DNA sequence: TTGCTCCTCACGTCACGTGAGGTGGC
DNA sequence: TTGCTCCTCACGTCACGTGAGGTGGC
């Protein structure tokens, strides 16, 4: 049993690049493990898995512009998957692991498609900007010659 | 004098892919020509230049995640530039046009740099996702064989 | 004249920001 | 014990959404 390092909310916020308020808000929305055994008023504690999760949420939010409502849906998908795993966890057999992986693959594929679509839109924008810059520079050369 | 087509706010909203409320809000913030001669209560009218401007604002907002406050700054830059042009407009000489172009170029260059940075971040994300997908598929093949 | 779209308030909402006032761990 | 970070309300803000009630143009 490895003792994972326990981080406080401020450290997590710094590492992820958000504020403590945002982390509490995401917990309130159910985007993070709700940590049932924490007694009211006591400090929240996080580990590296939580940091990885938050970083992914923030990236989906910022780079893809996904709303928190949509993030909750994705999380629900993931949780349904987790539930599936828990139910079959007594018999950690191959059928179990296969179904988990088969659920995870289309989720990642959807994310990948969103990333690529966004890149295409940006490439279009980039092309327009380079075009405008080229014509501006052409015009400038014509005038300064 | 070409009679530019006059569009109403709903048509503009449809074409740009936003709502009329958003257009009014942007006008309120000073992101669109404030149209001084419109009497209170009468309909707003737009032309193709307004549509182009709105489309660019929306793209900067959505693809680059730029806040409206920052968009206002950019608009102020552009307006200062416009002011410069107006002041020297009596003598539409080369020095005038050169200064305008020399002001426009770094503005476009900054936008281009932002677009490329965003693309780099997305490429990084894309690489991670393809990596995860590859290992998921490897795992699946190992289990189903 | 009849719809339809537009107008102006004005309150609601989402995703947090920002104190106020108080408690907990090195 | 002294700071420092944490806690929980709770109100503020940004970027609009969403009616309410009324007016204007084909």
């Amino acid at each position: 049993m490895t003792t994972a390092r326990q981080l406080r909310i401020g450290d997590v916020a710094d590492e992820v690049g958000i504020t403590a308020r945002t982390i509490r808000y995401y917990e309130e929305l159910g985007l993070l493990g709700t940590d049932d055994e924490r007694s009211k008023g006591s400090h929240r504690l996080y580990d590296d898995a939580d940091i990885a999760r938050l970083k992914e949420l923030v990236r989906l939010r910022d780079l893809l512009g996904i709303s928190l409502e949509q993030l909750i849906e994705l999380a629900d998908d993931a949780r349904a998957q987790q539930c599936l795993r828990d139910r079959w966890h007594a018999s950690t057999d191959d059928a179990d692991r296969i179904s988990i992986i088969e659920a995870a693959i289309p989720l990642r594929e959807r994310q990948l498609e969103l990333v690529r679509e966004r890149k295409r839109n940006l490439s279009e924008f980039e092309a327009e900007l380079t075009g405008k810059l080229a014509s501006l520079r052409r015009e400038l050369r014509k005038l300064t010659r």
Side-chain angles (χ1 to χ4, degrees), chain A:
Chain A
M1 193 153 157
T2 67
T3 57
R5 60 171 181 153
Q6 296 291 298
L7 296 152
R8 289 150 57 171
I9 197 168
D11 304 322
V12 175
D14 287 347
E15 191 154 339
V16 178
I18 55 182
T19 69
R21 176 67 172 101
T22 300
I23 296 176
R24 292 194 200 99
Y25 184 57
Y26 286 9
E27 183 192 310
E28 187 183 335
L29 292 180
L31 285 171
L32 265 71
T34 174
D35 193 5
D36 292 326
E37 64 245 43
R38 187 173 69 91
S39 57
K40 173 147 175 156
S42 74
H43 291 195
R44 292 169 178 81
L45 288 177
Y46 302 90
D47 58 19
D48 291 314
D50 293 319
I51 288 189
R53 174 156 184 73
L54 270 171
K55 278 186 177 170
E56 189 171 350
L57 288 174
V58 166
R59 202 147 54 162
L60 289 168
R61 184 194 69 176
D62 288 347
L63 291 182
L64 300 184
I66 292 179
S67 73
L68 297 189
E69 192 178 7
Q70 289 172 300
L71 283 182
I72 290 171
E73 286 175 36
L74 287 181
D76 285 346
D77 283 4
R79 231 191 313 283
Q81 198 180 313
Q82 174 74 25
C83 176
L84 199 70
R85 175 167 46 197
D86 286 352
R87 262 196 296 165
W88 291 3
H89 197 253
S91 64
T92 319
D93 60 359
D94 283 1
D96 177 6
R97 275 179 282 177
I98 286 171
S99 77
I100 291 168
I101 292 173
E102 282 180 340
I105 286 177
L107 220 152
R108 292 299 182 181
E109 279 173 339
R110 250 181 296 162
Q111 290 182 4
L112 189 56
E113 190 42 49
L114 287 175
V115 168
R116 286 180 173 153
E117 189 186 340
R118 190 77 20 156
K119 275 185 72 179
R120 280 195 296 275
N121 291 335
L122 280 167
S123 293
E124 224 176 281
F125 195 10
E126 186 183 12
E128 281 183 38
L129 283 174
T130 51
K132 281 180 184 176
L133 264 172
S135 74
L136 281 172
R137 291 192 175 118
R138 244 195 323 275
E139 194 81 18
L140 188 60
R141 261 199 306 281
K142 248 179 39 190
L143 288 168
T144 53
R145 194 188 317 146

